[in-house]
Amino acid sequence: MGLVFCCWLFLLLTLVSSAWSLSSDGLTLLALSKNLTLPSSIGSDWNASDSTPCKWNGVRCNSRDRVISLNLSSSGISGSLGPQIGHLKYLRTLVLTKNKVSGSIPPELGNCSMLDHLDLTDNFLSGEIPASLGNLKELSYISLGFNSLSGTIPEELFKNQLLVEVYLHYNNLSGSIPSTIGEMTSLRFLWLHENMLSGVLPDSVGNCTNLEEVYLLDNQLSGALPKTLGEIKGLKIFDATNNSFTGEIPFSFQNCKLEIFILSFNLISGEIPSWLGSCSGLEQLGFVENSLSGHIRASVGLLKNLTYLLLSHNSLSGPIPPEVGVNSRLKWIYLDNNDLVGEIPPNICSRQALRILDLAYNRLNGSIPSGICNCPSLERLILRENNLSGSNGFQ
């Protein structure tokens, strides 16, 4: 009986000793794994008998065996992210991209004060973005896109001067863009599209002078575009499709770096800005369904990198500038539903790139250029509701 008791006691002490031998970060990860369901290929590797978790799947440590990275991207993880995450004080990278993680983002994540890279993209997260994420002063990258997050964007999050990349797209976020956006002076990429954001784009965005990409499409934003956008000298992409922005385009660029500039499906008025003619790198220009007036500038037709010219459903008048036909890269030309007059430029389809030409519902006259017949790449030609003469086979 005594021998049995001694064996049992030895086994118990061995188990307790094993549990005690695992570092605090390892114990935290095991606690997380109770709610964050891991597949067997990962879970079997997370062994409580190890002294540290530094060789566990998805885990990386520093020289002191403290966990600095947890990367379980595309690992088939489900369950929720528990509050224990806040105990990983040295964590710099947290990546759970493309899994099935649900529930809310725990406010305790804001205790990971050394966190630099946070990526929870493409999961089933819900609830609000915790204001405590504003405590992550070292954060330079945050991606929460493709989830079901709701509520407002915390002002605290947009006060971070080190944030370079912010991806909050494809969620259910509402409310306004925080005016504190101007404090993110290192910001280069801002993706807020496919949400339910309302209100104006704050004037303070002009303080984000390092911005390169701004995606605001498919929200409920309104008011005038801020003149301060002209302070962002290196802006390459600005897409605000499908909002309710009003008024004329008030900003300008002297040394334009724009590659994509799309304001389609808004309430923009006034003329096409003259400064667009200096945007030599512009590839996509879209103003579909606005209230633009005036002529299509010849300088727009001379943009050699332009592939998409989308100006449908406005009140543009005057002739189609012949310079449009000079561009060898234009694939789509949508000028329909305007008040354009004069003849179709004879060289408009002299290049092989053109695939779609829609000039319907204007007041164009004269004959249909014979060169259209010799445009091998052309897939759609729409000329109806004009005053054109020539073969009706093209109508």
Side-chain angles (χ1 to χ4, degrees):
M1 186 72 176
L3 180 62
V4 173
F5 176 77
C6 288
C7 291
W8 178 83
L9 182 61
F10 176 78
L11 178 61
L12 179 62
L13 290 173
T14 300
L15 291 173
V16 171
S17 176
S18 297
W20 282 347
S21 67
L22 182 59
S23 67
S24 60
D25 283 359
L27 292 172
T28 295
L29 290 174
L30 288 182
L32 280 172
S33 68
K34 292 181 179 180
N35 293 321
L36 196 63
T37 308
L38 307 177
S40 58
S41 58
I42 295 176
S44 60
D45 189 50
W46 288 28
N47 197 328
S49 63
D50 293 333
S51 58
T52 75
C54 298
K55 294 184 179 180
W56 291 2
N57 207 324
V59 178
R60 190 162 61 87
C61 297
N62 62 15
S63 59
R64 297 182 179 181
D65 293 334
R66 301 305 300 262
V67 173
I68 60 172
S69 176
L70 180 59
N71 190 333
L72 299 172
S73 176
S74 303
S75 300
I77 296 170
S78 59
S80 60
L81 183 62
Q84 300 90 347
I85 191 69
H87 295 308
L88 297 176
K89 300 297 184 182
Y90 292 83
L91 191 66
R92 296 190 61 83
T93 299
L94 176 60
V95 179
L96 300 177
T97 313
K98 294 183 179 180
N99 284 292
K100 298 179 180 179
V101 180
S102 58
S104 59
I105 300 173
E108 291 80 3
L109 184 59
N111 296 330
C112 300
S113 58
M114 299 183 70
L115 197 64
D116 168 71
H117 187 105
L118 174 61
D119 194 343
L120 305 178
T121 309
D122 202 357
N123 280 285
F124 298 105
L125 294 169
S126 58
E128 298 188 0
I129 300 173
S132 61
L133 296 190
N135 298 330
L136 305 177
K137 303 302 183 184
E138 301 294 320
L139 197 65
S140 66
Y141 180 103
I142 181 171
S143 183
L144 307 177
F146 290 99
N147 280 288
S148 298
L149 298 170
S150 57
T152 60
I153 300 172
E155 289 188 0
E156 295 83 354
L157 179 62
F158 274 23
K159 290 182 178 181
N160 190 330
Q161 296 181 5
L162 296 183
L163 265 174
V164 176
E165 301 183 49
V166 174
Y167 304 106
L168 304 180
H169 53 298
Y170 284 95
N171 278 289
N172 299 313
L173 299 173
S174 58
S176 60
I177 298 174
S179 59
T180 53
I181 188 174
E183 298 186 34
M184 293 193 291
T185 51
S186 299
L187 191 63
R188 291 174 57 197
F189 304 97
L190 179 64
W191 292 20
L192 301 179
H193 52 287
E194 295 284 350
N195 280 289
M196 296 184 291
L197 298 172
S198 57
V200 302
L201 178 60
D203 288 338
S204 61
V205 71
N207 296 332
C208 304
T209 54
N210 293 300
L211 264 175
E212 296 179 19
E213 297 182 6
V214 178
Y215 285 100
L216 304 175
L217 57 152
D218 294 320
N219 278 288
Q220 300 166 15
L221 299 168
S222 59
L225 290 167
K227 186 177 181 179
T228 56
L229 283 172
E231 302 296 322
I232 307 173
K233 306 301 183 184
L235 190 62
K236 294 180 180 179
I237 298 174
F238 188 84
D239 190 341
T241 303
N242 196 24
N243 281 283
S244 297
F245 287 114
T246 58
E248 299 184 9
I249 297 172
F251 54 91
S252 62
F253 297 101
Q254 291 183 344
N255 297 305
C256 180
K257 304 295 183 182
L258 281 172
E259 297 174 1
I260 297 175
F261 187 43
I262 305 180
L263 294 174
S264 295
F265 302 101
N266 279 282
L267 302 169
I268 303 296
S269 58
E271 297 187 358
I272 297 174
S274 59
W275 56 262
L276 278 172
S278 66
C279 300
S280 59
L282 194 64
E283 299 174 6
Q284 298 182 31
L285 179 61
F287 293 144
V288 175
E289 204 161 309
N290 279 282
S291 300
L292 292 175
S293 57
H295 293 189
I296 300 173
R297 298 180 185 274
S299 57
V300 170
L302 293 174
L303 295 172
K304 295 182 179 180
N305 289 303
L306 197 64
T307 56
Y308 298 98
L309 179 60
L310 314 175
L311 304 177
S312 305
H313 292 271
N314 281 284
S315 298
L316 296 170
S317 58
I320 300 172
E323 289 80 1
V324 170
V326 175
N327 191 324
S328 61
R329 294 192 178 186
L330 267 173
K331 296 180 180 179
W332 292 6
I333 300 177
Y334 281 90
L335 305 179
D336 57 288
N337 288 274
N338 279 287
D339 197 28
L340 301 174
V341 298
E343 298 185 354
I344 299 174
N347 61 348
I348 198 167
C349 202
S350 61
R351 306 291 181 171
Q352 293 189 6
L354 191 61
R355 295 173 56 187
I356 299 175
L357 177 61
D358 191 345
L359 305 177
Y361 296 97
N362 281 287
R363 292 192 294 130
L364 299 171
N365 54 37
S367 60
I368 300 171
S370 59
I372 288 180
C373 301
N374 302 316
C375 196
S377 60
L378 195 62
E379 298 173 1
R380 292 184 62 192
L381 175 64
I382 308 173
L383 304 176
R384 62 176 174 265
E385 298 299 327
N386 279 288
N387 300 315
L388 298 167
S389 59
S391 173
N392 289 328
F394 295 109
Q395 298 292 323

